[in-house]
Amino acid sequence: MLTSTNFSGLLNQRFFQNLLPVPASNVLKLGQMTPDFELPDINNGKLVRLSNYRGDKPVILAFTRIFTEKQYCPFCFPHIKALNENWEKFADRNIELLMVASTDDRQSQIVVRDLGLKMPLLSDPGCQVFRAYQVGQALGAPLPAQFVLDADGKLLFKHLFSFIDHNASVDTLLKYVDR
């Protein structure tokens, strides 16, 4: 029996706004404060403001590439699963792990449910935060990136997508916080 992939929901306004390739151009320097933002946490329905963590705990921002609630980037899906499976390692070190996706609220709710996400999933369907962090875009969605911030909100590490090294590993992210 032949099966087909369901692409419903893929061709939306977000897809066409992110269709053309734009390379990552983030110029944030280590030790610099990163752009503040406020996005809804799909897990609990509350708004998350990045600056609220300053002076409290380190934060890892994991920008991920999800096309729709059922279509994931083949490079990002294993990364999302690895972050989720290791969420306790971050929580035990008092590190806030925030995943940012460009899916809308409805799509993001399905992602949270289907993957059993433990970490907050922040919904940025207009891609404003992705653009503020200059992570780039291609083929309908922003590119993935990871940023490690110290407890004061200063940049300790950044990883931008490349075909050679897609996403920073769990161990790499923890290493930069543990320094």
Side-chain angles (χ1 to χ4, degrees):
M1 176 201 288
L2 291 175
T3 60
S4 64
T5 302
N6 180 353
F7 290 106
S8 67
L10 181 62
L11 302 177
N12 56 26
Q13 182 178 2
R14 178 183 55 108
F15 177 86
F16 292 108
Q17 287 176 336
N18 292 283
L19 181 62
L20 297 177
V22 174
S25 60
N26 182 284
V27 294
L28 288 173
K29 305 278 186 247
L30 298 183
Q32 184 178 350
M33 299 296 278
T34 60
D36 194 18
F37 62 81
E38 184 175 82
L39 291 172
D41 175 359
I42 300 303
N43 284 340
N44 64 25
K46 295 180 181 175
L47 288 176
V48 170
R49 178 174 290 282
L50 180 61
S51 58
N52 288 347
Y53 295 102
R54 291 182 186 151
D56 183 31
K57 62 171 77 175
V59 175
I60 295 176
L61 298 175
F63 290 83
T64 194
R65 188 170 161 90
I66 302 173
F67 296 105
T68 73
E69 66 277 13
K70 298 290 184 183
Q71 291 139 348
Y72 298 86
C73 165
F75 302 122
C76 294
F77 186 70
H79 190 247
I80 295 167
K81 289 184 66 159
L83 291 174
N84 197 48
E85 289 166 2
N86 289 281
W87 179 81
E88 287 81 6
K89 290 181 182 179
F90 297 97
D92 290 347
R93 289 175 167 88
N94 196 34
I95 301 166
E96 189 65 43
L97 175 60
L98 301 173
M99 181 168 287
V100 182
S102 62
T103 47
D104 64 27
D105 288 359
R106 183 193 62 76
Q107 292 170 323
S108 297
Q109 288 168 357
I110 294 168
V111 169
V112 167
R113 184 191 68 225
D114 286 356
L115 299 182
L117 291 185
K118 301 170 194 171
M119 68 200 109
L121 178 63
L122 308 183
S123 175
D124 181 25
C127 303
Q128 289 94 346
V129 177
F130 281 92
R131 287 192 180 89
Y133 279 77
Q134 300 169 307
V135 300
Q137 66 184 39
L139 302 174
L143 296 173
Q146 297 80 45
F147 298 87
V148 177
L149 313 179
D150 69 12
D152 295 320
K154 294 179 182 167
L155 184 65
L156 296 174
F157 170 78
K158 69 178 176 181
H159 180 275
L160 303 174
F161 174 83
S162 76
F163 282 107
I164 296 169
D165 191 11
H166 314 123
N167 291 288
S169 70
V170 168
D171 290 338
T172 297
L173 296 172
L174 289 171
K175 175 179 82 171
Y176 281 94
V177 176
D178 290 341
R179 284 185 167 182

